[in-house]
Amino acid sequence: MIHRPSVPYKERRIISAAIKKVKQDGRFDKSDSQLCRVICVACNPEWQTLEELERRVQISFRTRDSQTAISARLREVSPIRHGVMKQSTKVKNETTGRFTWFYRVIPPVCGEGGQ
């Protein structure tokens, strides 16, 4: 069983407030851009897998972006160009020994040098 990385309450509050400001600025309202769709669904204090992001894009925008495409767009996210940064972390499944990667996109003031 995979355990999702936890987000402490204080961190969640800080990130949520910063995300609200970024979204109010209307920077990622263009659903016709794959990068904007990915940033929009990944901009969240919670850690998410590529599969979860793929599902959220499909539900939110009624279009299908593959996990490969989502991963590529996440690599393009830049604090300088987009005002947000990608963070990633991995969790080891103790049963299988395999790692599951989790991602989130947050404003840079909330992160400490994301990957």
Side-chain angles (χ1 to χ4, degrees):
M1 181 172 181
I2 303 297
H3 294 282
R4 180 176 310 281
S6 64
V7 181
Y9 176 75
K10 184 178 179 182
E11 180 181 345
R12 182 187 323 274
R13 259 192 22 224
I14 292 168
I15 292 172
S16 294
I19 288 172
K20 184 176 179 181
K21 184 179 178 343
V22 168
K23 288 186 176 182
Q24 284 175 340
D25 292 344
R27 297 180 83 164
F28 308 111
D29 290 343
K30 300 177 194 168
S31 63
D32 59 334
S33 161
Q34 188 178 59
L35 178 60
C36 286
R37 288 193 300 268
V38 170
I39 290 174
C40 186
V41 299
C43 203
N44 193 310
E46 297 298 325
W47 294 96
Q48 302 171 85
T49 64
L50 288 173
E51 181 181 355
E52 291 166 334
L53 291 170
E54 177 184 38
R55 194 169 36 248
R56 288 192 66 202
V57 166
Q58 199 166 15
I59 290 167
S60 298
F61 298 102
R62 294 188 181 359
T63 188
R64 186 176 182 282
D65 295 331
S66 69
Q67 292 178 38
T68 305
I70 291 168
S71 178
R73 298 301 76 78
L74 286 170
R75 287 191 298 274
E76 293 175 8
V77 173
S78 160
I80 295 167
R81 289 193 352 242
H82 305 109
V84 290
M85 64 183 220
K86 174 195 79 168
Q87 287 188 327
S88 59
T89 189
K90 61 184 177 179
V91 175
K92 186 175 183 178
N93 182 324
E94 297 301 328
T95 306
T96 65
R98 292 185 167 190
F99 289 94
T100 299
W101 283 90
F102 291 88
Y103 305 89
R104 66 183 181 181
V105 172
I106 63 172
V109 295
C110 301
E112 297 177 19
Q115 290 95 27

